[in-house]
Amino acid sequence: MFGILPLIFALVIAQTAEHLPPPPTVSGMAPWLESVLVIIACVVAWAVSVLVAARFLRSNRSPRLLAMWDAMTTGATLGIFALWCYELGWGQIAGFSSLVQLAPFIGMLIPAWYAGGLAWSAAGDRRPAVELLAMRLKFGLLPALVALGLFDLARWLVVEPLFKLEQADAGAHPMLSLLLMAASFGTVFAVLLIMPMAVVRLWGARQMPASPERELIEDGCRRAGIAVSRIMTWPPAAGRLYNAAVMGMIPRFRYVLFSTDLLRDLPNDQLTAVLGHELGHIKHRHLWIYLLFLVVSVMWSWGLSVPAAELLAVVPGFDHIGFEARQGFAVVMLFLLFLRFLFGVLSRACERQADLAGAKLAGSTEAMRQALLSVSVLSGQPVDAPSWRHHSIRERMAYLATVQEDPEAEPRHHGEVRRLLLMVCLLLVVGIGTIAMLPMGLGSADAWLDDHPETAELLDHATDTGAWKDLSIHMAEVDDEQAQMIRMIITQRMQERFVNYQTELNAGRATTSEAQELYAIRGLLYPLVAQPSDNPDFDVYMANNAAYAAVAGTSEPSAEDLEIARSALPMLNRAAHHEASSAYHDTVGAILFRLGKRDEARNHFSIASQLAPRDMPKDRLGGFLDLLQRRIIASGKPEATLPLELAPSGQSDED
């Protein structure tokens, strides 16, 4: 597939790593600049390495090594790219554009493809390495890059503005979430609908002139009942090309393409069989089935990634990796398994169904068998070459011979495809149903409380007064998911009250006694939110909020406050390094400051200031960086107290 699938996997890697910030720099440069320089050096080293390896392959000429070259180099490039995304933060640095995210990966693919072409040319392939590379670039990479560019444009103009509206809405209007989902899928469909029009121009396809071959193709389309926009010739990028295609999901943007070599060298009955094969994909809606499977694969890969990431935590080598990085790796591997095995079964079944359509249009299975054999011989492809998406040519020919001897084999196969489609639809329904039953996020807390009025009343009373006993009894009676939701709502409400207090304090409308009341309530409710859950990320999140409030929410922490913070320190220290989080580093620094470990505290504040531009919302970044700078300075003064976030603007913490 000319490298399209590796691009999909690379894009999944980049997207799953998009929220992971880059680690602290070791050179003092900006994180993005250091990452770019490291990546450039690695790409150059990779290019030199594959060219050296190609010289060995050219002298060795081992068919086995040549056949494995693509798999080995593609696997290596994906592994290196994943390292850049997860460890250097490239997924987030270039998160504004899919094209920019994939640039380093493409930079490694191109020299690997060229080196492979050198080796194949030495092994007897009549096409020079440059021609082989040009074919991959023109017919595979270039259309994919155009599609990614269109996706980027749609994301900037439509999806991201809606996403920001949905975030600001905080779940108050559920229709916004549905609109965002519809816009995302609508973007995919729109790009897929118009891409054929762009691809035929990129490939240099031309309107097929009036000829017996054109009349044959027009007649075949009429007999098959498939409407097309244009019939075009497909000149090769280099060397010879024996291929045909029908592109387009709707008739307005549907094109029939035949390479000039195929039109010249195949007899009419075989041309009709090839046309029937391509039209069979349209008639049986294979493109729509593939798109549906892609949606299901992404949905289930994400859905299974959390338990898979938890299982990876006990695997040697993964135990020191943060949860989000493990989850990203799990998504990629699950997606790979879905494509390689489940999609392989579906694709092979659809290709066999298309072969049957080709035989039907040509009027005999023998014409389809001979067409497969001719294309194999003319293109230099061995008839026994395995294909996870198509079956080998020999297997396809053997099946057509079986159908000729047993006419009942054809309807049985159509039934098999229908059962596979039913399985995909069931996976979609189960996936959507599972998502619908998941506990709501914080943005939907109000809607959740509307469905649980008793819990809402107890929460209101507890967060207003600190009276925790009735709510504690209630939490013991409900299930774990509801108890976790209650803890999240308590934390959310207390955070909102602290933010509101800071706003009022800066405006001169708040008093110190109000802060004392807030922290008194927080202290009373802390035992409720500190209960461990079955979600380690949630536990770290709650511990961070409690510890930060204990040491940085008051100018004079109590002995109880310091004990809360001290007990959370090991967990937060691990999370700060694993997740590369500015918030966690800030909290760890504040705890160490209160415990008298000023040098260690200053180090964590410095790391937080480097990470903040990547993981802190822009509307809070300026104030947060100013606070961190004041904390770094205070860490070097034995007499200084910890600068507090609640200090009014323009007022020092020591006034």
Side-chain angles (χ1 to χ4, degrees):
M1 293 189 66
F2 299 111
I4 294 177
L5 283 180
L7 282 176
I8 293 175
F9 286 121
L11 187 61
V12 172
I13 290 171
Q15 294 293 312
T16 57
E18 194 168 301
H19 59 290
L20 297 176
T25 60
V26 296
S27 62
M29 300 178 185
W32 71 268
L33 180 58
E34 185 176 82
S35 295
V36 167
L37 292 177
V38 170
I39 288 171
I40 290 175
C42 290
V43 170
V44 172
W46 168 261
V48 173
S49 300
V50 294
L51 290 174
V52 170
R55 293 187 63 182
F56 168 76
L57 287 174
R58 293 180 72 178
S59 61
N60 185 277
R61 300 187 183 184
S62 166
R64 184 177 180 185
L65 282 177
L66 286 171
M68 293 173 59
W69 175 261
D70 262 3
M72 291 188 298
T73 54
T74 300
T77 52
L78 285 171
I80 295 170
F81 184 68
L83 189 67
W84 292 340
C85 288
Y86 293 127
E87 296 299 324
L88 292 182
W90 179 250
Q92 187 188 79
I93 290 172
F96 60 90
S97 166
S98 300
L99 282 173
V100 178
Q101 282 181 327
L102 293 184
F105 179 72
I106 295 169
M108 288 192 296
L109 274 185
I110 291 174
W113 286 348
Y114 178 70
L118 289 174
W120 279 109
S121 297
D125 195 306
R126 293 170 296 187
R127 296 166 295 180
V130 173
E131 291 186 359
L132 292 171
L133 177 61
M135 182 180 295
R136 281 188 148 179
L137 294 178
K138 184 173 184 178
F139 294 132
L141 184 59
L142 191 56
L145 295 183
V146 171
L148 287 175
L150 292 173
F151 282 128
D152 278 344
L153 188 62
R155 185 175 74 171
W156 297 332
L157 296 179
V158 180
V159 177
E160 285 191 356
L162 283 174
F163 180 69
K164 290 177 181 178
L165 280 176
E166 195 233 7
Q167 282 190 313
D169 183 68
H173 299 87
M175 285 302 296
L176 271 179
S177 298
L178 294 176
L179 183 60
L180 176 63
M181 184 180 298
S184 300
F185 283 108
T187 297
V188 174
F189 283 117
V191 171
L192 291 177
L193 288 177
I194 66 174
M195 268 302 292
M197 184 172 57
V199 169
V200 294
R201 285 163 174 77
L202 290 173
W203 286 355
R206 300 180 181 89
Q207 183 83 15
M208 187 180 294
S211 63
E213 290 79 9
R214 181 183 176 90
E215 293 177 3
L216 181 145
I217 294 171
E218 289 175 340
D219 177 67
C221 291
R222 281 194 297 269
R223 289 191 291 117
I226 302 297
V228 299
S229 176
R230 290 185 181 182
I231 299 172
M232 313 187 79
T233 57
W234 184 4
R240 291 190 172 188
L241 176 67
Y242 292 92
N243 209 342
V246 176
M247 293 188 299
M249 304 177 83
I250 60 174
R252 176 66 182 83
F253 299 110
R254 184 176 295 150
Y255 302 88
V256 175
L257 286 84
F258 270 78
S259 70
T260 52
D261 294 324
L262 200 67
L263 288 170
R264 182 190 62 239
D265 294 339
L266 258 64
N268 286 349
D269 62 336
Q270 294 182 26
L271 283 176
T272 302
V274 171
L275 174 66
H277 173 97
E278 300 301 334
L279 294 177
H281 287 304
I282 303 298
K283 182 176 182 179
H284 294 295
R285 299 179 177 83
H286 291 164
L287 296 179
W288 291 102
I289 294 173
Y290 294 161
L291 182 60
L292 178 64
F293 186 88
L294 180 63
V295 171
V296 170
S297 298
V298 171
M299 177 188 298
W300 277 91
S301 296
W302 276 105
L304 296 174
S305 64
V306 172
E310 292 173 351
L311 289 174
L312 283 174
V314 301
V315 177
F318 285 91
D319 51 347
H320 68 286
I321 299 176
F323 178 82
E324 292 178 332
R326 294 199 310 272
Q327 184 181 16
F329 177 81
V331 170
V332 174
M333 296 310 297
L334 288 166
F335 188 64
L336 172 62
L337 291 174
F338 269 100
L339 282 188
R340 178 60 182 85
F341 295 103
L342 296 184
F343 181 72
V345 172
L346 179 64
S347 177
R348 291 191 295 272
C350 289
E351 288 296 331
R352 186 162 282 179
Q353 195 172 42
D355 284 345
L356 293 172
K360 183 176 181 180
L361 189 66
S364 72
T365 57
E366 185 61 24
M368 187 71 241
R369 293 177 73 246
Q370 290 303 314
L372 290 171
L373 182 60
S374 296
V375 171
S376 173
V377 172
L378 290 169
S379 62
Q381 178 186 358
V383 293
D384 291 316
S387 172
W388 68 276
R389 289 187 56 248
H390 294 78
H391 288 300
S392 69
I393 296 294
R394 188 180 300 279
E395 288 174 312
R396 293 166 69 179
M397 293 174 64
Y399 177 74
L400 289 169
T402 300
V403 172
Q404 188 171 7
E405 296 174 1
D406 179 14
E408 292 301 315
E410 181 174 349
R412 284 200 302 270
H413 184 72
H414 291 315
E416 179 184 340
V417 175
R418 286 193 294 271
R419 287 190 291 274
L420 288 172
L421 178 58
L422 178 61
M423 180 194 72
V424 173
C425 292
L426 286 175
L427 285 173
L428 179 66
V429 171
V430 172
I432 293 174
T434 303
I435 292 172
M437 292 187 291
L438 290 175
M440 298 179 184
L442 291 176
S444 304
D446 290 339
W448 186 83
L449 289 172
D450 288 342
D451 295 332
H452 300 80
E454 180 184 359
T455 302
E457 183 179 349
L458 291 170
L459 267 169
D460 290 341
H461 183 61
T463 53
D464 287 342
T465 66
W468 57 272
K469 291 185 178 179
D470 290 342
L471 183 59
S472 176
I473 294 171
H474 179 69
M475 290 175 67
E477 295 172 346
V478 299
D479 60 38
D480 290 342
E481 288 185 359
Q482 292 188 46
Q484 180 168 321
M485 190 67 179
I486 292 170
R487 292 196 291 273
M488 293 175 70
I489 293 173
I490 292 172
T491 301
Q492 180 192 36
R493 287 189 177 182
M494 297 309 298
Q495 286 179 330
E496 289 175 351
R497 291 185 67 180
F498 279 119
V499 171
N500 292 338
Y501 173 77
Q502 182 179 1
T503 302
E504 294 295 305
L505 184 64
N506 289 338
R509 296 191 295 266
T511 64
T512 305
S513 61
E514 292 179 57
Q516 292 173 342
E517 179 184 354
L518 278 178
Y519 284 105
I521 294 175
R522 186 272 306 162
L524 290 169
L525 297 182
Y526 173 73
L528 300 184
V529 300
Q531 299 174 22
S533 70
D534 58 357
N535 186 335
D537 284 334
F538 178 75
D539 292 339
V540 172
Y541 168 76
M542 301 301 290
N544 181 67
N545 282 286
Y548 188 80
V551 296
T554 176
S555 57
E556 296 181 3
S558 65
E560 179 186 356
D561 289 331
L562 292 177
E563 183 55 36
I564 289 172
R566 186 183 288 108
S567 64
L569 182 58
M571 176 193 297
L572 294 176
N573 202 9
R574 288 193 300 271
H577 290 289
H578 290 172
E579 307 297 339
S581 163
S582 63
Y584 290 166
H585 276 288
D586 181 36
T587 300
V588 171
I591 296 172
L592 293 170
F593 189 104
R594 291 297 193 189
L595 297 178
K597 300 178 180 180
R598 300 294 184 92
D599 290 340
E600 295 180 46
R602 182 168 58 246
N603 181 51
H604 281 278
F605 292 142
S606 298
I607 295 174
S609 67
Q610 293 182 36
L611 295 174
R614 296 297 172 188
D615 65 1
M616 183 63 60
K618 291 182 179 179
D619 58 338
R620 294 181 54 198
L621 180 59
F624 186 51
L625 288 175
D626 176 68
L627 174 67
L628 289 170
Q629 187 59 36
R630 289 189 287 123
R631 288 179 173 175
I632 291 170
I633 295 172
S635 298
K637 297 179 179 180
E639 73 284 356
T641 59
L642 180 70
L644 302 181
E645 193 170 356
L646 295 178
S649 303
Q651 176 181 324
S652 73
D653 303 279
E654 299 166 274
D655 289 345

